[in-house]
Amino acid sequence: MKQIKKKILFGEYVSGIGLEKALSIKPEDVIKEIKDSGLRGRGGAGFPTGLKWEFAFKEESDEKYVICNADEGEPGTFKDRKLLTEQPEKVIEGLTIAGYAIGAKRGFIYLRGEYIYILKNIEKAITNLKEKNLLGENILNSNFHFDVEVRLGAGAYVCGEEFALIESMNGYRGEPRNKPPFPTQKGFRDKPTVVNNVETLCFVPYIVSKGAEWFKSFGIEGSTGTKLFSVSGDIEHPGVYELELGITLNELLEVVGAKNPKAVQVGGAAGICVAKKDFDRPISFQGLPPGGSIIVFGEHRDMLKVLKNFLEFFVEESCGQCTPCREGNYRLLEGVNMLEKGNCSYRYLRELLTLCEVMKTSSKCGLGQTSPNCFLSILENFKDEVIFR
Amino acid sequence: MNREMIDIRIDGKEFKVEKGTTILEACKMAGINIPTLCYHPDLTVAGICRICVVEIEGMKTLTPACAFQIERPVSVKTNSPKIRKARRINLDLLLSEHYGDCYTCVRNGKCELQSLARDYGIDNYRFPSVIKPKYEIDNSSYAIVRDQNKCISCKRCIRTCIDLQKVGALETFGRGHSVRISTALNKPIAEVICINCGQCINRCPTGALRANDPADFIWEAIDDPEKFVIIQTAPSPRAAIGEEFGYPPGTSVTKKLNAALRRIGFDRVFDTNFAADLTIMEEGSELIERLKKRIVEGDEIVKVPMITSCSPGWVKFAEHYYPEHLNHLSTCKSPQQMFGAIIKTYYARKVGIDPSKIVVVALMPCAAKKFECNRPEMRDSGFKDVDFGLTTREMATMIKEAGIDLKDMPEKDFDHPLGLGSGAGLIFGATGGVMEAAIRTVYEIVTGKPVPFKNLEITPIRGMEGVREASLTIENTLPEYRWLEGVTLNVAVAHGTANAKKIMDKVVKGEADYHFIEIMACPGGCLGGGGQPIPTTPEIRMARARAIYEEEKNLPVRKSHENPELQQLYKEFLKHPLSEVSHKLLHTHYTPRGKYFFVG
Amino acid sequence: MVNIDICKQKEISGILVRFEKRRDSLLPILIEVNRIHGFITPIAMAEIAEFLEIPVAEVHGVVSFYHFLSTKKRGKYTVRLCKTISCEMAGKEKIEKILKKELGINFGETTSDGLFTLEYTNCIGMCDKSPAMLVNDNVYFNLTPEKVIKVIDELRKRD
């Protein structure tokens, strides 16, 4: 079994070391270190963080912004809540380093409205960091100024999508935009903007202070580092676990004390639902989706009900602008209701499977492109249970 | 200009395109047809219907051709199983949400959704369809009817209202599957800040938006032997109605239309250009009077620049957004309304018909004219001056309903008097036309000589640029206008209320040194009005403008003040411009309305 | 015909002065108005529109997008019970029942004393301590019927 005790985020941390190191080298070198580390976005999409920074760095602009995406809304995910509650200074340090790297003087934390009770905690961290000269004017006498402001969301899952988040911050309905131009070209206030997930930013101080090579000693090729997993459902000890990427689902289930589950939803509602036969697959950017949400279902769970719950979520949370997502999720839910009543024909089921395919290929953003995953995987893996009722 | 060219591949063939070209544009140039729905050439790109999706090599998901700007060499496929499946399913999804009662729909045969369904050979609903309408139809407005049951959430109307016209009556509300297009607070459209321009109607792909059609009442009047039904036709419908009968855009059918209107049963067919000439006389004189008060008497109360008031969409826009600056608007009624007032007074007396028996119908390119004729202040004749505003589209339907094909009609003249319009009146239909007509007359009144432009064509204010400016120095004035000697007259023209806003914001800040401004609510002026045939594109509007200017060139009378029938009207009835009778019948006042909320 | 510029009545100008006059202030303004007044009235929307010089429809469009912003009067306390998967599996149904019984209303309704509004919400990130609910800005988790009764009682007493 893989060594799974190694921790980064839940290990040691001395506030400011990463930032001090970053400020002592050139922004380009900070970016290089992050690129070399292979760090990929921890929000789910897994875009290489260093590359994103490099794009923004290369843009010429009088203003640039970095935004911490704390709109953690994926069902079954709560790791960012824990980070923001327990380690807000680390998040802000990562954001400050990002700002330094791309040339931004202002950073924002877009905090989901549901987490408003953490707001005071974050604001306290901002004050503390300012007192320690790790934030604000002339940080550590480096002549680098950086300020952080918290902006609240107001109950919209789709705002976790980076362009929807930017639209929301710009004062519009949180509807994803067409790309290109990318946020790194035209983001908040139409200026180059980097949006990084809370967890992603937390890794940054470590990588800068300890080096890319050290970080790469965690995880596997193409999926370096550790990952926080939010584990819930039918298990003894729900909570946040830090494990190396590349770990198999079986190994993970053992750590969290899951007893003989029937199914596991990996990667949140937008992820996939796997059955026992797939439990030996690794979780990584190449394997099972590493979004970090793990929901465990015991033998007694009705998988059709589970699917219905997910689809109800997407029907409400779709921003509603593009056809496949607005209408498609609704049709899938309607199909599940038909299955429940036992009046869904095979022919119609096949139409719905084609619909899933089209939603995946032609939706405007990640929401509609991933929302059919639950339908497809539950229908495939639990056919007997959901179809032959 | 040296623009960067990029090599691309479409369906295996190589092309060079300018950097920034969209895939849709590139395909059009390559002669490849990509179906679209939420895309419209006048509007900002939304990329939300997902009908125009194509495959770009190396990308996992499909890309909307309308939204993807080519910045690097790409290889594009426009026809593959993946694409066909996506287009087909997305179309099926839209069809299932659309209440498709096509036979009873005003857009039957002219609906983009319907024609896509036809092109894709759709013969059944893949997903359960809407059987009963879910929403009540909003016909609160004289101008615009909204039927949300037909709406497919393409948001063209919103982009028209917010981006193109800067009005903001329509928006998206809610989220997810319950998204709806509506007005603020979901109020009836008559109770929100809507200027009735109808541009949303012209861009709606389905029948979710339409004009409030008075045809039934007009038929009733025609069929009533007691009623004397007069129709006046504006220049823009004449340059566009042919499109409804298979003529290419830019075909003027004035005389065939006259014949058709008589065949339908209108008792008299008059030319709104006559009233346009009347407007020029009144408005030109008002301009001179305002300038005199300003320049000679130093009167600070009189407002300069003076702004035209013949576009009812613009007038309502000003009433909402610039209620403190309504004194800049000319007090002249629009040609439509002047005509109504003259018909029910002067003409009625002249021909000895009881004005209460006269029904005046105005064939207009415009949705806002319907609202205008229902304004309470438009009853100076003692009756409703104009009874009905009818759009070009509605007229075409009436003609067809009467079993007439415009193409088969002989060419007939207008009825007289009130049937002669000058070229100056005719060009009212195009943006800049009122200004050009006014300058032709004002310059000649003041100097006794025609404007110093070849063929009277004041080219600097023609064209489709959003805001156009020109200056003209007045020299060799007649003795009574000496005070204008050497004065440089600065004028500006704007079309589309977004451009109007640009100019008005300057006026408000006192940064505009214009004397006279022409503003039309619709892009292109009246020829692009909200009552004109659908579709509308920049090319179509340009073609209509060409038709108008071509027709104008050959007219015998090209200046308003030289219109003999108009001179007769002044002689017999009005006496002179700005006379007491004129003021009573031809001038009006405006109503300041709410800027952010509007009730009633 | 009646023309009323409702903006003449000022209702939230005290809040607006704290914000920069730029479009990206819109969401923070709305959240603040919603927090202080409990909901956003047509007058408030018009005032915000005037402040930012944008159409009222756009303000309303944004309000309608976010589930936490309301245009209807709510109770002093908005109870939002999470209905997403982990909470559902952990016994949301029982909590649902007890909330309805304790408050005497259905979901989507407000108590007649104006104290409580009961709503559902999607995942609030308390899946490890489910079932969970939000009451205004506070979170309550590992809910049991007894705990719910206690919370509601305390809130009632506070008044």
Side-chain angles (χ1 to χ4, degrees):
Chain A
M1 189 168 152
K2 220 170 145 56
Q3 159 70 274
I4 49 168
K5 285 183 195 138
K6 280 163 55 180
K7 307 244 183 283
I8 300 178
L9 300 183
F10 291 162
E12 274 174 49
Y13 165 71
V14 182
S15 176
I17 290 189
L19 180 58
E20 194 176 354
K21 174 77 191 299
L23 294 174
S24 71
I25 57 177
K26 284 192 294 186
E28 295 94 308
D29 296 330
V30 175
I31 294 172
K32 189 172 179 299
E33 203 66 42
I34 301 294
K35 271 175 81 177
D36 290 348
S37 75
L39 176 65
R40 294 172 68 167
R42 294 309 199 236
F47 192 82
T49 307
L51 202 57
K52 203 187 254 187
W53 290 14
E54 192 175 68
F55 289 148
F57 172 79
K58 284 184 177 162
E59 290 289 323
E60 274 182 39
S61 175
D62 51 340
E63 289 265 5
K64 292 180 188 179
Y65 299 101
V66 284
I67 300 173
C68 168
N69 184 346
D71 193 53
E72 180 177 53
E74 190 61 50
T77 315
F78 43 88
K79 57 170 182 91
D80 295 344
R81 183 198 83 212
K82 192 172 168 76
L83 289 173
L84 290 163
T85 312
E86 294 171 6
Q87 333 185 337
E89 295 194 7
K90 204 187 280 178
V91 181
I92 298 165
E93 186 174 337
L95 189 63
T96 311
I97 295 172
Y100 174 73
I102 71 154
K105 291 186 208 66
R106 288 187 72 182
F108 293 88
I109 298 175
Y110 186 93
L111 182 70
R112 67 185 305 216
E114 290 84 343
Y115 286 175
I116 191 169
Y117 54 88
I118 315 178
L119 179 63
K120 282 208 180 92
N121 200 38
I122 299 171
E123 282 172 344
K124 205 172 93 197
I126 292 174
T127 314
N128 286 346
L129 288 169
K130 281 190 176 164
E131 276 167 15
K132 289 193 263 181
N133 192 222
L134 291 169
L135 195 63
E137 293 290 301
N138 194 16
I139 297 171
L140 299 173
N141 299 316
S142 64
N143 212 15
F144 172 62
H145 317 293
F146 189 77
D147 247 318
V148 175
E149 190 186 314
V150 183
R151 287 280 176 102
L152 281 166
Y157 164 76
V158 70
C159 289
E161 199 273 349
E162 64 176 354
F163 245 144
L165 184 151
I166 287 168
E167 285 293 283
S168 173
M169 277 190 51
N170 278 338
Y172 293 86
R173 296 163 53 81
E175 294 171 347
R177 280 197 233 159
N178 295 299
K179 300 178 217 184
F182 292 93
T184 49
Q185 300 166 285
K186 224 176 162 193
F188 182 53
R189 294 176 182 164
D190 285 344
K191 303 289 183 188
T193 304
V194 159
V195 181
N196 285 140
N197 172 262
V198 173
E199 183 186 343
T200 313
L201 289 170
C202 283
F203 282 111
V204 166
Y206 293 98
I207 295 170
V208 175
S209 65
K210 297 192 178 183
E213 285 309 313
W214 170 82
F215 184 77
K216 275 168 33 184
S217 71
F218 299 86
I220 57 167
E221 177 84 39
S223 297
T224 55
T226 57
K227 173 84 194 77
L228 298 189
F229 291 93
S230 314
V231 192
S232 66
D234 298 322
I235 52 167
E236 273 171 37
H237 307 292
V240 180
Y241 293 84
E242 180 174 10
L243 300 163
E244 284 185 66
L245 280 169
I247 188 174
T248 65
L249 186 51
N250 258 329
E251 289 166 331
L252 183 144
L253 292 172
E254 198 180 311
V255 175
V256 305
K259 282 187 195 129
N260 197 26
K262 168 163 87 172
V264 179
Q265 181 76 18
V266 185
I272 59 171
C273 191
V274 295
K276 280 199 177 86
K277 64 177 170 52
D278 283 324
F279 287 1
D280 57 349
R281 284 176 66 191
I283 302 172
S284 70
F285 291 106
Q286 300 79 26
L288 293 172
S293 158
I294 304 284
I295 306 168
V296 181
F297 304 106
E299 238 2 286
H300 59 297
R301 295 293 173 189
D302 178 347
M303 295 316 286
L304 196 61
K305 258 183 140 174
V306 170
L307 178 55
K308 190 172 168 177
N309 189 285
F310 286 147
L311 287 170
E312 280 169 348
F313 175 84
F314 287 124
V315 168
E316 279 176 25
E317 296 295 344
S318 158
C319 82
Q321 60 167 333
C322 80
T323 310
C325 182
R326 179 186 65 238
E327 306 297 344
N329 283 306
Y330 171 75
R331 294 299 173 188
L332 293 182
L333 177 60
E334 192 181 55
V336 168
N337 288 331
M338 287 160 85
L339 279 170
E340 208 170 38
K341 287 190 198 125
N343 60 7
C344 182
S345 69
Y346 279 112
R347 211 193 113 165
Y348 192 62
L349 201 57
R350 271 199 304 278
E351 301 280 19
L352 292 177
L353 293 175
T354 316
L355 168 63
C356 287
E357 203 183 307
V358 168
M359 288 168 72
K360 284 173 78 125
T361 57
S362 72
S363 289
K364 191 169 179 178
C365 81
L367 197 158
Q369 288 162 11
T370 54
S371 63
N373 285 340
C374 58
F375 190 91
L376 287 170
S377 56
I378 289 181
L379 245 68
E380 186 187 319
N381 292 327
F382 303 95
K383 204 179 283 163
D384 295 349
E385 184 185 329
V386 296
I387 302 177
F388 307 106
R389 292 168 77 86
Chain B
M1 273 254 274
N2 212 356
R3 291 219 180 88
E4 199 184 324
M5 299 300 281
I6 294 175
D7 293 307
I8 59 159
R9 234 168 210 285
I10 305 176
D11 296 335
K13 283 193 210 131
E14 284 176 14
F15 299 94
K16 265 189 200 309
V17 295
E18 248 174 47
K19 192 176 171 177
T21 309
T22 64
I23 292 179
L24 186 66
E25 289 160 348
C27 286
K28 202 174 172 194
M29 287 184 255
I32 295 165
N33 180 42
I34 306 272
T36 57
L37 203 50
C38 72
Y39 169 81
H40 193 284
D42 289 328
L43 302 176
T44 49
V45 166
I48 53 176
C49 71
R50 316 308 275 187
I51 292 291
C52 72
V53 286
V54 294
E55 252 185 286
I56 296 178
E57 201 177 274
M59 286 172 73
K60 268 196 288 183
T61 54
L62 300 172
T63 302
C66 66
F68 190 91
Q69 294 187 340
I70 298 164
E71 303 280 336
R72 59 180 168 87
V74 285
S75 178
V76 181
K77 262 197 236 168
T78 71
N79 184 10
S80 72
K82 208 165 152 186
I83 294 169
R84 281 196 302 273
K85 207 182 275 179
R87 288 181 186 166
R88 173 66 204 256
I89 293 264
N90 285 333
L91 186 56
D92 282 325
L93 287 169
L94 290 173
L95 286 168
S96 298
E97 275 303 295
H98 171 83
Y99 178 57
D101 61 339
C102 294
Y103 327 113
T104 56
C105 180
V106 64
R107 292 290 294 273
N108 190 4
K110 277 167 266 168
C111 166
E112 289 178 46
L113 188 66
Q114 192 187 46
S115 73
L116 272 178
R118 188 191 54 223
D119 291 350
Y120 276 75
I122 287 178
D123 56 2
N124 68 333
Y125 286 108
R126 188 183 302 252
F127 306 104
S129 63
V130 187
I131 320 165
K132 269 204 305 226
K134 281 188 263 183
Y135 307 104
E136 231 175 89
I137 293 172
D138 173 8
N139 51 15
S140 61
S141 158
Y142 288 115
I144 293 165
V145 179
R146 254 171 26 91
D147 181 357
Q148 286 187 70
N149 299 298
K150 311 261 176 74
C151 177
I152 52 167
S153 301
C154 70
K155 302 199 191 186
R156 280 198 202 167
C157 55
I158 296 176
R159 285 175 281 149
T160 302
C161 200
I162 293 181
D163 301 333
L164 191 72
Q165 292 292 71
K166 293 265 183 271
V167 174
L170 298 170
E171 232 312 11
T172 317
F173 295 91
R175 183 170 91 199
H177 188 253
S178 48
V179 148
R180 282 169 74 186
I181 311 302
S182 190
T183 57
L185 304 178
N186 201 21
K187 284 196 173 282
I189 195 132
E191 293 174 26
V192 299
I193 300 170
C194 166
I195 63 166
N196 305 309
C197 68
Q199 290 298 311
C200 53
I201 302 175
N202 286 9
R203 287 170 185 78
C204 179
T206 71
L209 287 157
R210 61 174 198 260
N212 205 338
D213 188 350
D216 286 347
F217 300 106
I218 296 171
W219 282 123
E220 212 174 288
I222 289 174
D223 296 341
D224 184 344
E226 292 279 294
K227 293 274 156 67
F228 193 79
V229 189
I230 297 175
I231 188 161
Q232 50 160 313
T233 74
S236 290
R238 284 139 43 178
I241 199 166
E243 293 163 32
E244 300 276 358
F245 292 89
Y247 287 99
T251 313
S252 186
V253 293
T254 311
K255 292 191 168 176
K256 282 179 180 291
L257 180 64
N258 287 344
L261 295 177
R262 281 202 195 95
R263 183 83 64 89
I264 281 180
F266 287 102
D267 297 298
R268 290 289 180 275
V269 182
F270 288 152
D271 188 349
T272 307
N273 296 354
F274 171 86
D277 288 333
L278 179 58
T279 305
I280 286 300
M281 293 309 294
E282 293 293 325
E283 197 162 337
S285 307
E286 185 187 352
L287 176 66
I288 294 170
E289 192 185 77
R290 282 197 195 213
L291 292 177
K292 188 171 182 187
K293 278 192 179 154
R294 219 354 137 60
I295 296 169
V296 181
E297 297 160 25
D299 185 341
E300 290 295 316
I301 297 163
V302 63
K303 292 293 177 197
V304 175
M306 186 177 89
I307 308 172
T308 58
S309 58
C310 22
S311 163
W314 150 242
V315 167
K316 190 144 184 275
F317 186 84
E319 288 177 332
H320 282 300
Y321 287 101
Y322 301 96
E324 306 89 358
H325 301 89
L326 293 173
N327 288 341
H328 281 280
L329 267 63
S330 160
T331 57
C332 287
K333 289 180 183 171
S334 68
Q336 163 181 296
Q337 292 305 132
M338 285 195 180
F339 215 159
I342 291 294
I343 288 172
K344 292 201 179 175
T345 54
Y346 167 74
Y347 182 78
R349 229 170 295 162
K350 196 175 168 78
V351 295
I353 300 173
D354 176 359
S356 70
K357 299 279 190 289
I358 296 179
V359 174
V360 176
V361 178
L363 170 59
M364 292 288 148
C366 186
K369 289 281 175 197
K370 294 171 186 288
F371 174 82
E372 186 188 30
C373 73
N374 281 294
R375 278 176 179 256
E377 59 268 32
M378 295 297 170
R379 294 172 160 271
D380 291 324
S381 63
F383 306 91
K384 196 175 164 192
D385 294 339
V386 171
D387 295 273
F388 302 107
L390 189 71
T391 65
T392 311
R393 295 188 297 267
E394 291 154 357
M395 186 79 257
T397 308
M398 283 183 76
I399 294 174
K400 287 177 187 168
E401 196 179 344
I404 298 168
D405 187 342
L406 207 56
K407 282 189 163 161
D408 302 335
M409 285 293 107
E411 308 228 320
K412 293 284 181 196
D413 274 328
F414 287 101
D415 291 305
H416 296 280
L418 315 188
L420 180 69
S422 77
L426 176 65
I427 57 174
F428 263 54
T431 165
V434 178
M435 180 60 72
E436 184 166 344
I439 292 177
R440 284 183 193 173
T441 289
V442 169
Y443 191 89
E444 202 160 323
I445 290 177
V446 179
T447 64
K449 286 183 288 291
V451 281
F453 287 92
K454 197 182 157 207
N455 294 332
L456 302 174
E457 289 169 9
I458 309 179
T459 44
I461 50 175
R462 291 189 177 185
M464 288 290 170
E465 197 70 30
V467 174
R468 306 186 293 284
E469 297 171 331
S471 296
L472 179 65
T473 305
I474 302 174
E475 283 162 337
N476 302 320
T477 45
L478 295 172
E480 50 176 316
Y481 297 106
R482 275 288 174 256
W483 52 275
L484 269 172
E485 183 65 33
V487 169
T488 300
L489 204 60
N490 297 322
V491 301
V493 170
H495 59 125
T497 39
N499 293 315
K501 188 172 184 297
K502 280 184 206 156
I503 281 206
M504 281 311 289
D505 289 344
K506 272 166 100 179
V507 170
V508 169
K509 284 187 205 142
E511 288 167 6
D513 61 346
Y514 308 117
H515 297 97
F516 190 28
I517 304 171
E518 177 205 296
I519 296 180
M520 293 293 154
C522 294
C526 303
L527 55 84
Q532 290 282 69
I534 297 169
T536 183
T537 66
E539 292 76 33
I540 291 175
R541 295 194 292 273
M542 235 115 77
R544 291 174 190 161
R546 266 199 307 275
I548 287 175
Y549 285 124
E550 277 304 311
E551 192 179 341
E552 200 264 335
K553 267 186 195 164
N554 307 316
L555 288 182
V557 182
R558 296 183 61 207
K559 300 172 207 157
S560 300
H561 56 280
E562 290 176 357
N563 180 340
E565 292 185 3
L566 184 67
Q567 289 165 347
Q568 190 187 355
L569 170 70
Y570 272 109
K571 208 171 121 202
E572 293 178 5
F573 186 60
L574 296 171
K575 307 303 170 205
H576 56 85
L578 307 183
S579 70
E580 208 176 306
V581 191
S582 293
H583 265 295
K584 181 173 180 294
L585 292 178
L586 310 180
H587 291 255
T588 185
H589 58 275
Y590 306 102
T591 315
R593 298 174 199 263
K595 201 183 281 191
Y596 292 98
F597 251 99
F598 171 64
V599 184
Chain C
M1 177 164 340
V2 202
N3 300 309
I4 312 169
D5 216 332
I6 306 182
C7 304
K8 304 256 152 48
Q9 315 168 26
K10 299 282 175 189
E11 168 179 290
I12 55 156
S13 35
I15 296 172
L16 292 177
V17 291
R18 287 188 266 137
F19 290 90
E20 258 186 278
K21 237 183 206 277
R22 53 192 304 167
R23 178 71 191 237
D24 60 74
S25 299
L26 180 55
L27 190 55
I29 291 173
L30 292 171
I31 291 172
E32 189 64 3
V33 173
N34 195 65
R35 192 180 66 82
I36 293 176
H37 293 257
F39 71 118
I40 304 165
T41 63
I43 298 171
M45 283 194 263
E47 234 181 296
I48 294 165
E50 187 182 33
F51 178 72
L52 297 175
E53 295 178 34
I54 54 175
V56 183
E58 277 193 61
V59 175
H60 189 197
V62 171
V63 171
S64 71
F65 188 84
Y66 297 95
H67 283 183
F68 282 16
L69 302 178
S70 177
T71 53
K72 279 198 210 112
K73 194 168 167 51
R74 292 193 198 211
K76 188 170 176 194
Y77 303 104
T78 301
V79 180
R80 294 191 172 94
L81 177 64
C82 174
K83 67 172 161 73
T84 311
I85 190 75
S86 296
C87 283
E88 185 179 275
M89 296 201 303
K92 178 209 78 181
E93 233 167 278
K94 257 190 264 166
I95 307 302
E96 211 166 50
K97 260 187 212 147
I98 196 75
L99 276 170
K100 283 204 255 185
K101 194 174 154 218
E102 270 304 293
L103 299 175
I105 51 172
N106 278 317
F107 280 76
E109 295 176 355
T110 301
T111 53
S112 54
D113 58 2
L115 215 47
F116 294 97
T117 297
L118 189 53
E119 283 178 1
Y120 287 114
T121 188
N122 281 323
C123 187
I124 57 171
M126 273 291 159
C127 325
D128 51 341
K129 298 168 182 171
S130 50
M133 66 182 188
L134 293 167
V135 179
N136 291 358
D137 294 351
N138 296 309
V139 65
Y140 297 87
F141 45 85
N142 289 334
L143 295 175
T144 57
E146 298 73 36
K147 200 165 169 181
V148 169
I149 294 172
K150 222 178 110 198
V151 170
I152 300 291
D153 273 352
E154 270 169 26
L155 290 172
R156 278 205 179 112
K157 271 183 212 144
R158 215 185 280 176
D159 251 76

